[in-house]
Amino acid sequence: MTSVEPLVYYPAYCFHLSPTINKWCPLRATDIHGLECRPGFEGDNVFFSSNHPIRWVRIVGVVVAIDEYYGHRNYTIDDSTGACIECCIDIPKPAKSLPQNGTAWGALTVAPAPTSAPDPYSDIDVGMVVEVKGSTKLFRDQKQISVQKMQRTRSTNQEVQFWNKISDFRREVLSQPWMLEKREVRRCKKQHMADVDAEERRRKRKEEKRKEEKRKEEKRKEMGYVINGGAQKQEAMARDADTRRKPTRREPRTQPETGHPYTEGQYNALGL
């Protein structure tokens, strides 16, 4: 009797070797709801079937409900597997019309609403069979599909072909666990560490460049202050010197000479 080996969940730096991570995985609604959440991958919206990481999915089913909210819309898809799944898209928010002053006194006119992006899925309605491609996400502990593309299935033959793709994908990929050799894991880890070091060096260079630019800017400001301060000081000194050199209006430009008492009246006889 052989024991079953435990599943190995490989780190994210090995995901590029996975046959599922960058592929539109054809799944059923029950399969999507059964995907497992693993600690450390919540923010990446990566879920696991066995130990296969899955991010992008495809599904075909009937639209049974459409719920529209402010800024987004939910399509409920039923693929006849016993479970429905919500497929969500963002839609243009209604533009607000702003009042403007009219030509008449006190009159107001309503500004025309700006044109918004057209609704890409306005032709999708309840009862139509559609194929949805999107990324998986978790909302209130329920799996959802964030729609990347949605189109109508034109014939029953296309729906049957999709069901065949689901069967082939489950048999060829998901039925066996994803396995890597240890040397491949070591190589991926080494490459990951090299990428992390390179990113850290780029970040440090960018930070040092930012600090150097800041120091230069502070030095330019300081030099500008010194130059401007010196110029202002010289200008003040020049104004002060000019003020001392030029007499005020109250003072005469030349001082009158006062006569000496010994010489006063000495040349009066000569008419001088």
Side-chain angles (χ1 to χ4, degrees), residues 33-100:
H33 286 297
L35 295 177
E36 182 183 0
C37 302
R38 298 287 301 178
F41 298 98
E42 296 87 350
D44 297 331
N45 287 330
V46 175
F47 302 89
F48 293 86
S49 175
S50 181
N51 67 336
H52 292 278
I54 292 178
R55 180 182 286 125
W56 309 102
V57 297
R58 296 173 60 187
I59 190 173
V60 169
V62 181
V63 180
V64 296
I66 300 176
D67 299 307
E68 191 160 331
Y69 305 94
Y70 184 75
H72 69 277
R73 182 186 300 143
N74 291 352
Y75 295 87
T76 303
I77 307 298
D78 184 4
D79 63 350
S80 302
T81 59
C84 297
I85 191 165
E86 289 186 343
C87 303
C88 311
I89 66 167
D90 294 330
I91 59 175
K93 297 178 181 179
K96 296 182 180 180
S97 298
L98 300 177
Q100 292 182 343

Side-chain angles (χ1 to χ4, degrees), residues 45-270:
N45 287 330
V46 175
F47 302 89
F48 293 86
S49 175
S50 181
N51 67 336
H52 292 278
I54 292 178
R55 180 182 286 125
W56 309 102
V57 297
R58 296 173 60 187
I59 190 173
V60 169
V62 181
V63 180
V64 296
I66 300 176
D67 299 307
E68 191 160 331
Y69 305 94
Y70 184 75
H72 69 277
R73 182 186 300 143
N74 291 352
Y75 295 87
T76 303
I77 307 298
D78 184 4
D79 63 350
S80 302
T81 59
C84 297
I85 191 165
E86 289 186 343
C87 303
C88 311
I89 66 167
D90 294 330
I91 59 175
K93 297 178 181 179
K96 296 182 180 180
S97 298
L98 300 177
Q100 292 182 343
N101 293 330
T103 55
W105 176 261
L108 292 178
T109 58
V110 178
T115 57
S116 57
D119 186 357
Y121 305 117
S122 58
D123 59 331
I124 303 298
D125 205 350
V126 174
M128 295 181 178
V129 180
V130 295
E131 178 183 356
V132 179
K133 294 180 179 181
S135 59
T136 53
K137 66 177 184 177
L138 198 63
F139 180 72
R140 295 179 180 176
D141 296 330
Q142 293 293 325
K143 303 290 193 321
Q144 290 182 338
I145 299 176
S146 181
V147 177
Q148 300 294 322
K149 183 178 181 181
M150 180 166 54
Q151 60 184 2
R152 293 183 60 182
T153 302
R154 298 297 179 180
S155 64
T156 307
N157 187 32
Q158 290 183 356
E159 191 174 357
V160 172
Q161 290 177 359
F162 183 78
W163 284 103
N164 292 335
K165 290 180 181 179
I166 293 177
S167 300
D168 296 339
F169 184 72
R170 290 172 59 86
R171 182 181 65 256
E172 297 173 1
V173 181
L174 299 183
S175 61
Q176 299 294 329
W178 176 38
M179 299 183 66
L180 293 176
E181 296 182 2
K182 292 183 179 180
R183 61 182 180 85
E184 291 179 315
V185 177
R186 289 195 299 267
R187 178 174 57 83
C188 292
K189 183 177 181 179
K190 183 178 180 181
Q191 182 62 41
H192 172 68
M193 296 303 296
D195 293 341
V196 170
D197 292 341
E199 181 64 27
E200 182 66 18
R201 288 193 296 270
R202 284 194 296 268
R203 187 190 65 80
K204 288 183 178 180
R205 286 197 298 268
K206 187 177 180 180
E207 183 67 19
E208 291 176 357
K209 183 178 180 181
R210 187 186 65 82
K211 291 182 179 179
E212 182 65 23
E213 291 177 353
K214 186 177 180 181
R215 285 195 297 268
K216 290 181 179 179
E217 182 65 23
E218 292 177 352
K219 189 174 181 180
R220 284 195 295 266
K221 290 181 179 179
E222 183 179 356
M223 292 299 295
Y225 175 78
V226 171
I227 294 173
N228 293 334
Q232 293 174 0
K233 186 176 180 180
Q234 292 178 0
E235 185 179 354
M237 292 175 63
R239 286 199 304 268
D240 190 28
D242 188 60
T243 303
R244 290 196 303 268
R245 185 170 57 253
K246 294 181 180 179
T248 60
R249 293 182 179 178
R250 294 181 181 179
E251 298 177 352
R253 292 184 176 271
T254 60
Q255 297 292 338
E257 297 182 358
T258 58
H260 194 275
Y262 177 76
T263 60
E264 185 176 3
Q266 185 176 358
Y267 301 102
N268 290 340
L270 300 177

